[in-house]
């Protein structure tokens, strides 16, 4: 009798189907009962319920998946316990019924109901709610998209700017009226597009082809959430990421005259399908994220971009990015995710599953140069987003904040009388734009913002209410020393120099970009690679935290930094590759991006970290994306979705967990499969774990020829003397396209002991025309992998 498969009677007070509820919301937002009035006294909570895999929806018994899930839920919903009896129709216990991403549903239940449910034989797990977070125009030229010396060199030429490719973006909202989303000149979406536009009809066009909101789960947790059916104003982050991936050309874009130029996304002719899953100052609910991916896959997106993640590295079988991501690649949908913004400490990475492209952030070569000229004639370079035409005139008295240095205490500053002076403030917890307003309000002539030490030379300027120069920690120390020695006679002025390009040592790893090792699968190097993520100019609904002159035009571009900004760069570039190579699998596109990434900067030195030393592979992955080369990589490390199954078994996931991840693939039993060690996964980077005798690891790889039909590659290996590497064979001779050849790499310690410290090298397959590079990382054990924290 406990078997719900045969429990046909549906206990209505418990139910209300998401489909019906959603339709209601869309038609008439005013009719929505706010969460707080649902007579929900707090004992019901949101759960993601995973159903055991042998249990599948039976078409003969249930009309559809939601009616099946509803029946499972009703089998434990005890209506007697309902405090909702008075208003049964108002309660929606079934929040989401998933079709693609997991075998399960999201529902509101009491602890007693969960307990009762856990005794059902169809029950696998119930996960309590989880909150994820968003991780925050010259890049096309810098990345070589616009073409090189000869016409036709540009990647945009071969890829036709991503025409016809559909990019699905999960984020916090999109400002549909932005010029970056103008549909002029765009072709209609391909016929496979099944998505919808839940904005009012006038808003979507051939650029922004879809817009949907997911808040059925979030609304319970964030009471009073404004009805987000038209996610227009809540789009600071999502407008920026969407326009970075696929924004149209917008001439004369700048941030107060800085970075002036024609703005565009990486794939200006790709279509955007927007899925709102995050809410400003709140976050993104796991079950809403899952629902959006569930729909996006059916809508027909080609690529998914997720600039969000949990604070922790979540088990793949509990994580919506990993769960949704597997179903995405199973459907040939490429998925790109941000690596996290909690660097530079080690083991801070998120979104680690090998089927995702995990993107770290790097600096660009653009600076918004401004100089602090001290009375001593010393000049210290910094950056500023003040209008470069601003002039300061005569030097002003220069003072420090006499409180804690962060200019947080207005009364102290007032007592100090900073009228007509330049004030030095350390970056503190308060938003710098708020500080600027405050110090301007009490008469300051200018502000110098000192960046935290951990940022090294990397500065993140913002537009401010008064002339402001942001300087590095090192420059800040010099300024403070000068103030000290002049004993009250210190003076300074600012010189705004505007935008400069070709900054040496670019790209550099962003200080905040999260670092490996991979906490969930240490045999897979993450991040996969770096993309531009520092001071990125892209579209916004309006500039945040900045007061504009009464009649000023609302600026439509702003600067943001984060791995959130790096991921959509890769999303757009993946769209270009997808256009040029429509039959390539997600793994092949990822391989193309990784094996052609640049390990060196614009001075041909290894990409450096903010301390000036070469960055670890745990920060850079394969290196910095080179879109032009990624279009034509020569060889790719291909994978099918099912190829990850023996790997999951090798990670010692239980059958239930493996089956949760691979759903809707047929269930497997690991006992029936050969387990794959992590180093044998056909991944474009190589990680050898040498933590026990005999300190030897062998990694097998298969490469597919996508370059010249008849071609010969020879191997080149470059590793430190502490390890020895043997590759077998050392030559690969291809006779035709799509031919697959295998090789194995044996990596052993040179002295039969665990190598000390991280060992990094590379393996390259080289033909006349191609270089196919894989980074090699040798680690010596859990925990011991991490290099010394690189806090300068
Ligand atoms: C699923 O079936 C239920 C009734 O069993 C119905 O109310 C609901 O609209 C159906 N949903 C879909 C998506 O067809
Ligand atoms: C693109 O390449 C084709 C041929 O390779 C060339 O004729 C055309 O001018 C190029 N277009 C641009 C915009 O460079
Ligand atoms: C549709 O949305 C746009 C953008 O917010 C707005 O300007 C317009 O008035 C709306 N139209 C209708 C019919 O609601
Ligand atoms: C861009 O700005 C310049 C100078 O302000 C102006 O001459 C030009 O017409 C503008 N271009 C467009 C397309 O608005
Ligand atoms: C700055 O000054 C130059 C030359 O006077 C002018 O062309 C430009 O439009 C000004 N820029 C801004 C943002 O006002
Ligand atoms: C503050 O300093 C300014 C400029 O030196 C001076 O004009 C003003 O009188 C001072 N205010 C107070 C309250 O001392
Ligand atoms: C990679 O594997 C997939 C799945 O087997 C296949 O469809 C594709 O043609 C292969 N090659 C490339 C370059 O994607
Ligand atoms: C899986 O379990 C086996 C046997 O206990 C062990 O040897 C292996 O190291 C485990 N693998 C991982 C990735 O933890
Ligand atoms: C595993 O193999 C056993 C014995 O061959 C078979 O009975 C079982 O159905 C298999 N399980 C799966 C999930 O394939
Ligand atoms: C790796 O390749 C070697 C031969 O190249 C083979 O003997 C071995 O079984 C392979 N290992 C796996 C896990 O495929
Ligand atoms: C290459 O390795 C795969 C397994 O990784 C195997 O199925 C295939 O037969 C191998 N191909 C050759 C030519 O050895």
């Amino acid at each position: 009798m406990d078997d719900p498969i045969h429990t046909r009677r549906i206990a209505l007070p418990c139910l209300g189907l998401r489909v019906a509820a959603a339709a209601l919301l869309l038609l008439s937002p005013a009719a929505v009962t706010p969460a707080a009035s649902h007579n929900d006294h707090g004992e019901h909570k949101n759960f993601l319920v995973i159903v055991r895999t042998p249990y599948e929806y039976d078409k003969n018994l249930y009309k559809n998946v939601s009616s099946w899930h509803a029946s499972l839920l009703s089998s434990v919903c005890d209506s007697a316990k309902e405090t909702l009896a008075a208003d049964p129709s108002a309660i929606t216990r079934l929040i989401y019924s998933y079709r693609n991403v997991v075998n399960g549903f999201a529902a509101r239940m009491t602890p007693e109901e969960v307990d009762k449910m856990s005794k059902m034989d169809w029950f696998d797990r119930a996960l309590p709610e989880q909150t994820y977070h968003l991780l925050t125009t010259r890049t096309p030229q810098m990345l070589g998209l616009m073409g090189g010396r000869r016409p036709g060199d540009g990647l945009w030429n071969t890829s036709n700017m991503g025409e016809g490719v559909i990019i699905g973006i999960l984020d916090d909202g999109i400002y549909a009226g932005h010029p970056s989303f103008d549909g002029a000149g765009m072709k209609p979406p391909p016929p496979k597009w099944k998505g919808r536009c839940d904005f009012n009809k006038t808003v979507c066009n051939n650029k922004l082809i879809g817009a949907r909101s997911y808040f059925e789960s979030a609304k319970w947790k964030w009471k009073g959430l404004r009805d987000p059916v038209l996610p227009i104003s809540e789009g600071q982050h999502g407008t920026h990421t969407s326009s970075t991936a696929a924004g149209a050309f917008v001439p004369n874009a700048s941030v107060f005259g800085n970075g002036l130029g024609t703005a565009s996304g990486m794939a200006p002719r790709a279509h955007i399908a927007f899925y709102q899953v995050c809410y400003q100052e709140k976050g993104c609910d796991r079950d809403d994220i899952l629902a959006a991916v569930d729909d996006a896959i059916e809508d027909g997106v080609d690529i998914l971009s997720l600039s969000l993640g949990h604070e922790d590295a979540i088990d793949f079988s509990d994580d919506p990015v990993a769960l949704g991501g597997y179903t995405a690649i199973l459907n040939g949908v490429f998925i790109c995710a941000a690596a996290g913004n909690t660097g530079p400490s080690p083991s801070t990475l998120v979104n680690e599953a090998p089927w995702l492209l995990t993107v770290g952030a790097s600096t660009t070569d653009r600076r918004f140069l401004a100089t602090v000229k001290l009375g001593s004639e010393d000049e210290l370079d910094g950056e500023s987003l003040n209008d470069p035409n601003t002039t300061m005139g005569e030097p002003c008295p220069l003072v420090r904040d006499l409180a804690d240095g962060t200019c947080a205490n207005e009364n102290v500053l007032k007592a100090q009388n900073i009228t007509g002076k330049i004030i030095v403030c350390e970056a503190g917890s308060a938003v710098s734009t708020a500080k600027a307003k405050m110090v301007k309000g009490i008469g300051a002539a200018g502000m110098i913002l000192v960046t935290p030490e951990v940022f090294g030379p990397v500065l993140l300027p913002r537009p401010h209410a008064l002339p402001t120069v942001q300087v590095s920690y090192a420059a800040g120390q010099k300024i403070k020393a000068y103030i000290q020695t002049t004993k009250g006679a210190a003076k300074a002025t600012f010189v705004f120099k505007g935008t400069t390009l070709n900054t040496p040592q670019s790209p550099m790893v962003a200080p905040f970009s999260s670092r490996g090792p991979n906490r969930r699968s240490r045999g897979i190097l993450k991040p996969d690679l770096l993309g531009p993520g520092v001071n990125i100019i892209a579209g916004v609904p309006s500039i945040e935290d900045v007061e504009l002159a009464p009649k000023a035009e609302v600026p439509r571009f702003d600067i943001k930094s984060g791995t959130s900004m790096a991921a959509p760069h890769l999303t757009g570039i993946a769209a270009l590759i997808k256009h040029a190579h429509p039959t390539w699998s997600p793994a092949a596109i990822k391989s193309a991006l990784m094996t052609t990434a640049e390990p060196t900067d614009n001075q041909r030195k290894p990409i450096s970290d903010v301390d000036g030393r070469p960055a670890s592979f745990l920060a850079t992955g394969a290196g910095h994306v080179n879109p032009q080369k990624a279009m034509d990589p020569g060889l790719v490390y291909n994978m099918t979705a099912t190829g990850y199954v023996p790997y999951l078994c090798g990670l010692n996931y239980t059958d239930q967990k493996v089956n949760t991840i691979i759903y809707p693939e047929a269930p497997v039993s690991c006992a029936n499969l050969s387990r794959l060690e992590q180093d044998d996964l056909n991944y474009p980077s190589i990680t050898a774990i040498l933590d026990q005798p005999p300190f030897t690891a062998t990694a097998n790889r298969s490469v597919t020829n996508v370059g010249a039909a008849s071609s010969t590659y020879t191997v080149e290996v470059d590793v430190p003397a502490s390890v020895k590497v043997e590759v077998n064979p050392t030559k690969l001779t291809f006779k035709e396209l799509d031919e697959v050849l295998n090789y194995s790499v044996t990596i052993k310690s040179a002295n039969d002991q665990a190598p000390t410290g991280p060992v990094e090298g590379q393996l390259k397959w080289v033909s006349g025309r191609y270089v196919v590079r894989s980074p090699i990382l040798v680690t010596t054990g859990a925990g011991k992998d991490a290099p010394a924290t690189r806090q300068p």
Side-chain angles (χ1 to χ4, degrees), residues 414 417-421:
K414 267 186 184 156
N417 189 5
I418 59 170
T419 303
K421 298 175 184 166

Side-chain angles (χ1 to χ4, degrees), residues 583-589 636 638-641 704-706 738:
T583 62
W584 284 13
S585 68
I589 294 175
V636 291
N638 201 7
M639 289 277 299
T640 59
T704 305
N705 182 17
V706 295
D738 295 322

Side-chain angles (χ1 to χ4, degrees), residues 490-702:
K491 282 188 180 304
T493 187
F494 299 158
V495 184
F496 298 100
K497 298 182 172 169
T499 310
T500 66
L501 302 171
N502 302 318
T503 309
Q505 279 203 304
S506 304
M508 180 184 281
V509 180
F512 53 77
S513 189
S514 289
R515 316 297 165 103
N518 190 326
R519 285 177 281 176
R520 288 288 161 186
S521 179
R522 68 192 178 108
I524 302 294
L525 173 62
K526 291 277 176 171
D528 290 311
L529 81 183
L530 299 174
V534 176
N535 298 330
I536 302 304
I537 297 183
V540 287
S542 64
I543 263 185
E544 272 182 314
D545 318 317
V546 177
E547 255 176 68
L548 297 169
K551 282 198 191 130
E553 201 182 319
V554 178
R556 294 297 186 208
F557 289 85
D558 195 5
I559 279 188
K560 291 186 190 291
S561 297
T563 51
S564 273
M565 281 63 243
H569 277 93
L570 269 295
T571 297
I573 294 163
L576 302 179
I577 300 177
K578 180 91 185 171
H579 176 96
H581 305 290
T583 62
W584 284 13
S585 68
I589 294 175
K590 174 172 163 169
S591 173
L593 289 163
M594 286 173 67
T595 62
T596 57
E598 301 288 351
T600 53
D601 66 17
N602 58 0
Q603 296 176 314
R604 305 208 169 275
K605 301 262 173 51
I607 292 174
S608 58
D609 213 327
V610 288
D611 60 4
R613 292 189 292 172
S616 156
F617 287 175
L618 299 173
T620 63
H624 190 257
V625 61
N626 182 331
Q628 190 117 26
K629 286 191 186 167
M631 290 291 283
D632 188 16
L635 305 176
V636 291
Y637 293 85
N638 201 7
M639 289 277 299
T640 59
T642 45
Y644 295 102
V645 177
Y647 153 86
L648 289 169
C649 293
L651 280 181
N652 295 336
Y653 274 76
T654 62
D655 286 354
Q656 269 313 324
K657 285 191 169 191
V658 171
N659 290 325
T660 299
I661 295 168
I662 69 171
Y663 182 84
E665 281 271 82
V668 299
S669 161
C670 286
N672 293 9
L673 296 169
S674 56
R675 289 164 182 253
L676 200 63
E677 294 298 327
Q678 298 174 68
D679 55 8
D680 284 323
L681 190 70
N682 199 32
Y683 212 72
S685 59
I686 296 170
T687 302
I689 302 170
L690 299 188
D691 55 357
Q692 35 189 306
F695 304 109
T696 299
T698 299
N700 285 4
R701 290 291 185 274
S702 303

Side-chain angles (χ1 to χ4, degrees), residues 256-257 387-389:
F256 296 117
D387 184 330
N389 288 354

